[in-house]
Amino acid sequence: MDSQTSQPSQASQSPHTFQVDLRGLVDLLSHHLYSSPKVYLRELLQNAVDAITARRAEQPDAPAAVRLYAEGGTLRVDDSGIGLTESDVHSLLATIGRSSKREDGLQAARSDFLGQFGIGLLACFVVAERIRVVSRSARTPDAAPVEWTATDDGSYTVRTLPHEARTEPGTTVHLVARAGAGEWLTEERVRSLARDFGSLLPYDVRVGDEAIAELPAPWDRAHPSPATRRVALARHCHDLFGFTPLDTIDLNVPLAGVRGVAYVLPSAVSPAQRASHRVHLKGMLLTERAEQLLPDWAFFVRCVLDTDSLRPTASRESLYEDETLAAVREALGERIRSWLTGLAAGDPERLAAFLSVHHLGVKSLARHDNEMLRTMLPWLPFETTDGRLSLEEFALRHPVVHFTRTVEEYRQVAPIASAQGIGVINGGYTYDSELVEALPSVRPGTVVSELDADTVTAHLDAVDPAEELALSGFLMAARAKLDPLGCDVVLRAFHPLSVPALHLDDRAARHEQARAEAEDQADDLWAGILGSLRGSAPRARLVLNHLNPLIRRISSLRDPELIGTATESLYGQALLMAQRPLRPADSALLNRAFIGLLEWATHTEPGKDDLR
């Protein structure tokens, strides 16, 4: 190979500069990076605050003021910050992404800054067609003021001004609205946005003569008593979120640089609903839709807080998911957990009021936290055959804690189990069965058992063999009628006497029933596959109550057809009592049994049209 051909040409080694289409970049920012044009004002405030922070790092007694003036489609923002020299302007404002905080030894103080100067001004083109910056440096007092003027076509000019053009250090930014964006630069809109973004900023920020910052923060203000503080925070919550909280929880995590408050919602919400929280970064509002700030189980609170440790995303409208955020999330969750245990220990009335609304959130926490489960045992409500009780109280009443996994199963067995003295907890609601199963881990010696159809049937009294043998003809006819429905018929004696029949099945029986139905409706190939899956699961059963007077009369019938109609009626009534969803076959059976009973009641043979 020729040595000359193996060497890259001189031209290929020459560096090239990317050409940026500013209009295209602004369109990208406005439609994909920023959620709304309103962020332009946050960027201006960030630049001003960062400039003041930079100046105070060198001159601790320097003034700290930001002034905003809006009029006639223009906006002027003036700050008393570090200012810029002509070389700073060329270096910073002409290069997207360059940050003044990296210069002149200020890297160590980077954590005190909010944003990047160049990116902040670029965001202003979302609402402005022209930006003019006039600045004088505090670091180089003898340097002349400098003016930078840019338009949204990507062009800019730089010139120095006479010293009298700006006598004090700092920077003034002038915006001229682009077509269709004038509303964003009205005084009313600027004031509203400044209040929203800058209410917790540590400097003197004003729109015209009106102060924007409201320090100290609501959670840091002194109050005569805890009661008056609670009232003041409730008012703040109502102004901010639109609801009066059930309670307030202080969120103070000094090691993570987090201070704020959580407001407990006054009404129940779905655990699947993503909570939105307001997060300020060093006083500046970062987002009002932070979703990953708290553990998932804490969906019953809305937070507002200020932090200096969490990292924002590129748009500075949400939080970056990293180890710091994970640690803060865990710490804030611990604060809410401590509040709950504090209520349990010292304020049972407030705890009861809270649980009446948000027991689902606490159950979600308790299923993963044995200590929380142990603390909440006397308080968390469950549906039981003894009424709404806590697990602690129910376990004291019953040596064996029986539970069902579904609401459907509970409705089947609850009336009969209660009459037999068997205590049952409805574990069909969210988290309930998991908590019941976890009970022995926090209450040693407790016996927990899932209640199924076999267990219930075993607790019912058997009928005398001689009596059951005498009724064998009746039982045979009844079983033949229900066999196509996948249901057996058994005879037992149980209370209450008013219940003539009880329909019992379990998940395995329902699964086998669904498989059999699918097999009946499938083609030969699929039916063969489903047939191979046939299991030995127990079938559903209709338990007839031998103590019930109606069952005694029906069991004395001799007509097989009438026995079949009566059995279908008992089966349908038992399904309705259990609040089971009816299959098409069940609905057809109920209709058929109803018509059949009407025909027998009017002494007309089934199938005849003459009803006279």
Side-chain angles (χ1 to χ4, degrees):
M1 179 182 293
D2 192 310
S3 62
Q4 290 184 344
T5 61
S6 64
Q7 298 295 326
S9 67
Q10 184 64 31
S12 68
Q13 295 183 16
S14 301
H16 298 276
T17 303
F18 284 107
Q19 300 299 310
V20 177
D21 177 0
L22 186 58
R23 285 196 177 101
L25 190 55
V26 168
D27 181 72
L28 182 67
L29 289 174
S30 60
H31 290 93
H32 299 284
L33 184 62
Y34 296 126
S35 61
S36 166
K38 70 181 181 179
V39 298
Y40 89 91
L41 192 69
R42 183 196 63 197
E43 300 293 344
L44 287 174
L45 287 176
Q46 284 184 348
N47 284 340
V49 169
D50 285 345
I52 293 172
T53 301
R55 184 176 180 186
R56 285 202 156 185
E58 301 179 3
Q59 305 171 17
D61 297 330
V66 181
R67 298 290 182 268
L68 297 91
Y69 304 95
E71 183 179 1
T74 64
L75 174 65
R76 174 164 58 95
V77 181
D78 186 80
D79 69 67
S80 60
I82 195 69
L84 302 171
T85 63
E86 184 178 359
S87 63
D88 292 335
V89 167
H90 283 290
S91 174
L92 301 174
L93 300 189
T95 305
I96 296 172
R98 181 75 59 83
S99 173
S100 61
K101 298 86 180 177
R102 299 173 181 169
E103 308 296 330
D104 298 313
L106 289 181
Q107 176 68 26
R110 182 81 188 268
S111 63
D112 293 331
F113 300 106
L114 297 171
Q116 290 185 323
F117 194 70
I119 288 289
L121 280 181
L122 182 64
C124 293
F125 280 117
V126 172
V127 298
E129 67 175 10
R130 183 162 61 89
I131 302 174
R132 176 171 168 258
V133 177
V134 177
S135 188
R136 183 163 188 167
S137 175
R139 295 197 189 104
T140 314
D142 295 335
V146 61
E147 178 191 73
W148 177 85
T149 304
T151 58
D152 61 2
D153 63 2
S155 63
Y156 73 93
T157 60
V158 179
R159 67 186 180 113
T160 58
L161 302 176
H163 284 274
E164 58 269 17
R166 185 176 180 99
T167 58
E168 296 295 328
T171 300
T172 302
V173 179
H174 302 262
L175 301 187
V176 177
R178 64 191 305 155
E183 62 170 310
W184 292 102
L185 271 64
T186 62
E187 182 176 11
E188 182 179 359
R189 178 61 68 89
V190 168
R191 181 183 296 108
S192 174
L193 293 178
R195 283 175 178 165
D196 202 32
F197 286 121
S199 62
L200 299 183
L201 289 174
Y203 302 134
D204 180 15
V205 181
R206 296 174 183 267
V207 176
D209 295 327
E210 184 176 337
I212 296 303
E214 301 175 355
L215 295 179
W219 48 85
D220 287 331
R221 294 171 191 168
H223 295 278
S225 67
T228 55
R229 181 177 186 270
R230 190 177 297 119
V231 170
L233 288 176
R235 189 181 305 114
H236 174 251
C237 175
H238 190 274
D239 294 341
L240 206 59
F241 294 115
F243 65 86
T244 300
L246 201 62
D247 206 347
T248 58
I249 309 168
D250 283 314
L251 301 177
N252 183 13
V253 188
L255 292 178
V258 172
R259 281 194 62 81
V261 64
Y263 295 115
V264 181
L265 292 167
S267 56
V269 293
S270 167
Q273 179 179 332
R274 300 295 293 179
S276 295
H277 311 289
R278 287 176 64 96
V279 178
H280 296 255
L281 180 62
K282 305 179 185 72
M284 182 73 71
L285 178 66
L286 180 71
T287 178
E288 41 192 359
R289 295 187 301 274
E291 295 183 347
Q292 69 274 48
L293 188 65
L294 294 180
D296 290 341
W297 55 261
F299 55 82
F300 50 83
V301 299
R302 296 292 179 270
C303 297
V304 54
L305 55 82
D306 187 27
T307 175
D308 58 19
S309 65
L310 298 179
R311 178 183 170 191
T313 58
S315 66
R316 294 197 287 283
E317 294 187 272
S318 59
L319 297 171
Y320 188 82
E321 184 68 48
D322 56 14
E323 292 181 358
T324 302
L325 179 57
V328 168
R329 181 163 50 235
E330 183 177 347
L332 295 180
E334 182 58 37
R335 294 294 182 276
I336 298 174
R337 186 185 289 106
S338 297
W339 169 78
L340 281 171
T341 56
L343 288 186
D347 200 337
E349 290 186 3
R350 284 172 64 198
L351 178 64
F354 167 76
L355 289 177
S356 67
V357 178
H358 295 299
H359 58 274
L360 199 58
V362 180
K363 286 181 177 180
S364 175
L365 171 59
R367 68 193 175 117
H368 296 303
D369 188 328
N370 280 350
E371 189 58 40
M372 179 56 62
L373 177 58
R374 185 179 291 106
T375 301
M376 291 294 138
L377 272 181
W379 307 102
L380 287 175
F382 289 78
E383 181 180 355
T384 79
T385 49
D386 294 352
R388 288 189 69 80
L389 298 176
S390 69
L391 289 181
E392 176 75 18
E393 188 173 357
F394 186 87
L396 289 173
R397 296 186 181 187
H398 300 278
V400 178
V401 177
H402 290 287
F403 74 99
T404 63
R405 291 194 182 276
T406 69
V407 174
E408 187 177 85
E409 291 171 352
Y410 177 80
R411 288 170 177 166
Q412 286 183 37
V413 304
I416 306 304
S418 180
Q420 307 305 311
I422 306 171
V424 186
I425 295 176
N426 184 354
Y429 297 115
T430 307
Y431 311 132
D432 282 10
S433 62
E434 297 174 69
L435 293 175
V436 174
E437 288 182 295
L439 188 56
S441 66
V442 297
R443 198 176 186 275
T446 303
V447 178
V448 173
S449 175
E450 182 176 356
L451 190 66
D452 55 20
D454 286 335
T455 305
V456 175
T457 306
H459 278 80
L460 305 180
D461 294 334
V463 177
D464 182 85
E467 292 188 50
E468 187 166 359
L469 182 61
L471 298 176
S472 59
F474 161 74
L475 292 175
M476 185 178 301
R479 287 166 182 157
K481 196 67 175 179
L482 295 188
D483 184 68
L485 297 173
C487 184
D488 291 331
V489 177
V490 297
L491 189 66
R492 293 287 187 274
F494 57 87
H495 293 274
L497 299 180
S498 58
V499 176
L502 176 66
H503 182 271
L504 293 177
D505 65 359
D506 53 25
R507 278 161 291 147
R510 288 195 294 273
H511 176 76
E512 172 62 20
Q513 189 177 63
R515 187 209 58 76
E517 291 176 356
E519 182 181 353
D520 290 340
Q521 299 172 9
D523 56 32
D524 292 341
L525 175 61
W526 187 237
I529 295 174
L530 290 172
S532 68
L533 299 177
R534 183 181 295 111
S536 58
R539 304 201 324 160
R541 67 203 68 176
L542 182 69
V543 184
L544 303 180
N545 187 0
H546 187 55
L547 301 180
N548 179 267
L550 176 62
I551 295 298
R552 287 184 173 273
R553 289 196 296 271
I554 292 174
S555 63
S556 65
L557 295 173
R558 295 291 178 265
D559 187 330
E561 190 171 348
L562 182 54
I563 291 174
T565 300
T567 302
E568 287 182 330
S569 300
L570 290 170
Y571 174 83
Q573 188 264 353
L575 286 180
L576 295 175
M577 288 295 292
Q579 301 182 46
R580 284 283 308 277
L582 299 181
R583 299 169 296 162
D586 298 330
S587 298
L589 176 146
L590 280 170
N591 291 331
R592 184 171 63 250
F594 178 71
I595 296 299
L597 289 177
L598 283 179
E599 290 174 338
W600 280 105
T602 54
H603 305 289
T604 303
E605 294 182 17
K608 299 290 186 180
D609 293 330
D610 186 4
L611 300 178
R612 289 174 298 178

